[in-house]
Amino acid sequence: MIALISDIHGNLPALEAVLLDIERLGGVSAIYCLGDVVGYGPQPAECLDLCARASKLMLLGNHEHALIYGAYGFTAVARRAIEWTRQALERHPSRQGRAMLDLLETLPTCHLFDEVMLVHGSPRDHVMEYVLESDTWDGAEPGKLEGIFAAFPRLCFVGHTHRPGIFTEDQCFLASDEVGDGFDVSDGAKYLINVGSVGQPRDKDPRACYTVFSGTAIYYRRVAYDIDHTASLIRENPRLSERLASRLYKGE
Ligand code: ZN
């Protein structure tokens, strides 16, 4: 079994709770991180350090990309958080922060094994493109999902939207709470699986989210964590917007 985590966003209590849950679950041979370890949250250096140690592989997310190359296309709130994150890493007392920035520049945007692709955003634009539930609706951009499904072998795991669920080849989206306990993907069809967000879920469930893949089935895991702790660190930080704290309680 492997575990897939994504979009931690500087939320250390959420990451610690997820890693503990993985340990308790047992049988997980490797953890893959699909990016956005930083951004929005108050403990970017701690999350990068822990994630780098716990994961077999870390991919580049759009927030890491923004740290290195500039926060283009970000909202004002997200951009301010990235600017603060960069300063926090550059001025980190242990000098480990500087090493973390160097590490980010080496992260791959995509990883392939067997018939599986791992990316942050989408198989055809690894870092930036969003694959959205609304892409399955009437009136969606013509050909978008066909193009996305043509760009990966059989299974593709993504993060980025913070909305866990499974896209099927016939253009349905199954939200993680509809999937139940174990969604079989051994039928040879193609699936694109959004693993959800550890540190800032946006599906109205505030618990940290991650995914386990057994080789034949997908399992979604939700883990309660100390939201008060993260929210108070955000509120103590004048460079981080209050909204980044309040949304954690609502899962939005
Ligand atoms: Zn994200």
Side-chain angles (χ1 to χ4, degrees):
M1 283 203 303
I2 60 170
L4 299 124
I5 63 175
S6 191
D7 297 274
I8 293 131
H9 285 297
N11 188 339
L12 185 63
L15 177 60
E16 288 174 335
V18 161
L19 294 178
L20 187 63
D21 190 66
I22 291 171
E23 198 183 309
R24 284 186 181 146
L25 193 62
V28 170
S29 58
I31 299 171
Y32 291 90
C33 173
L34 307 189
D36 277 11
V37 179
V38 301
Y40 302 132
Q43 293 182 284
E46 293 82 351
C47 286
L48 277 172
D49 179 49
L50 181 55
C51 206
R53 284 187 284 119
S55 308
K56 180 171 181 180
L57 181 81
M58 263 164 52
L59 295 179
L60 187 84
N62 59 310
H63 284 251
E64 282 85 34
H65 186 277
L67 263 188
I68 302 167
Y69 303 108
Y72 306 107
F74 273 45
T75 64
V77 164
R79 192 176 334 108
R80 268 204 309 279
I82 282 294
E83 284 161 3
W84 171 77
T85 300
R86 186 165 185 94
Q87 288 169 7
L89 291 175
E90 282 171 345
R91 296 170 189 169
H92 199 269
S94 71
R95 279 200 292 163
Q96 213 173 9
R98 191 63 245 182
M100 287 297 161
L101 279 169
D102 293 340
L103 168 81
L104 295 183
E105 294 196 27
T106 70
L107 296 182
T109 64
C110 176
H111 183 63
L112 279 163
F113 60 94
D114 303 328
E115 290 182 304
V116 178
M117 180 187 266
L118 310 179
V119 290
H120 179 68
S122 122
R124 58 181 193 178
D125 179 347
H126 298 163
V127 180
M128 297 298 177
E129 186 176 41
Y130 291 91
V131 187
L132 300 161
E133 188 179 345
S134 56
D135 294 329
T136 66
W137 298 349
D138 285 348
E141 184 187 325
K144 179 176 172 182
L145 280 182
E146 284 91 338
I148 285 167
F149 269 78
F152 65 90
R154 205 179 70 77
L155 299 176
C156 182
F157 291 89
V158 304
H160 199 28
T161 67
H162 301 206
R163 293 177 66 87
I166 297 172
F167 293 83
T168 64
E169 230 171 339
D170 58 357
Q171 306 207 356
C172 289
F173 176 76
L174 304 159
S176 59
D177 55 354
E178 298 169 49
V179 162
D181 195 24
F183 182 83
D184 186 69
V185 292
S186 65
D187 60 356
K190 282 186 162 190
Y191 296 96
L192 183 138
I193 302 111
N194 191 303
V195 305
S197 167
V198 170
Q200 196 196 77
R202 295 181 192 159
D203 62 343
K204 308 283 182 206
D205 182 341
R207 293 174 299 168
C209 181
Y210 75 98
T211 297
V212 172
F213 175 47
S214 68
T216 55
I218 307 294
Y219 301 85
Y220 282 102
R221 305 275 304 172
R222 300 308 288 239
V223 189
Y225 72 95
D226 187 353
I227 297 179
D228 287 343
H229 186 111
T230 304
S232 67
L233 289 176
I234 291 171
R235 286 174 173 142
E236 284 166 17
N237 186 327
R239 305 286 295 280
L240 298 178
S241 158
E242 148 62 28
R243 157 111 178 100
L244 294 171
S246 60
R247 69 186 303 173
L248 295 178
Y249 290 94
K250 299 176 205 149
E252 63 176 36

